[in-house]
Amino acid sequence: VASVGVAGRCTGETMTDPLEGYEDTFSAFYSRNAQEQGLGGEEELTSHEDLMSKPLTVIIFGATGDLAKKKLFPALYQLCLRGHFPRSLNIIGYGRRAVDLP
């Protein structure tokens, strides 16, 4: 089974990270955004440890659709495997069709 990248490319068993090399860009954006909002820089932003300790709920509308099955659920699974979500994660799916669970 080939692994699925988070909005990245799937090449056999190798997963490519679409955000690779953009860490500095995102860091600069969030620092500038924090300064514009009067937060005074990164030291006052919520820490990674605080974010990971709080519960998170992801709601997917159209969970029985093709996009959810092919893209959203595999991407969420990969994010969970990589540790990008907190331990207290809830995923709620809503769809118009009935779901057959195996």
Side-chain angles (χ1 to χ4, degrees):
V1 173
S3 58
V4 177
V6 182
R9 289 168 288 185
C10 179
T11 56
E13 292 298 321
T14 305
M15 183 182 350
T16 60
D17 189 353
L19 302 179
E20 187 175 332
Y22 291 98
E23 293 85 7
D24 294 335
T25 304
F26 291 126
S27 178
F29 170 77
Y30 287 119
S31 295
R32 186 177 64 245
N33 196 19
Q35 289 172 355
E36 288 172 0
Q37 294 178 9
L39 297 176
E42 291 186 40
E43 63 274 357
E44 294 185 26
L45 295 177
T46 305
S47 69
H48 183 262
E49 292 79 24
D50 288 342
L51 289 175
M52 294 304 281
S53 67
K54 295 181 181 183
L56 174 67
T57 301
V58 177
I59 301 174
I60 299 175
F61 293 95
T64 57
D66 192 51
L67 176 66
K69 291 176 189 173
K70 290 183 178 179
K71 297 290 184 180
L72 295 178
F73 290 123
L76 288 172
Y77 177 71
Q78 288 297 322
L79 287 170
C80 287
L81 287 180
R82 290 180 166 197
H84 292 293
F85 285 138
R87 300 284 296 174
S88 56
L89 172 67
N90 299 302
I91 299 176
I92 299 172
Y94 177 80
R96 292 189 288 176
R97 291 187 300 240
V99 177
D100 295 326
L101 298 176

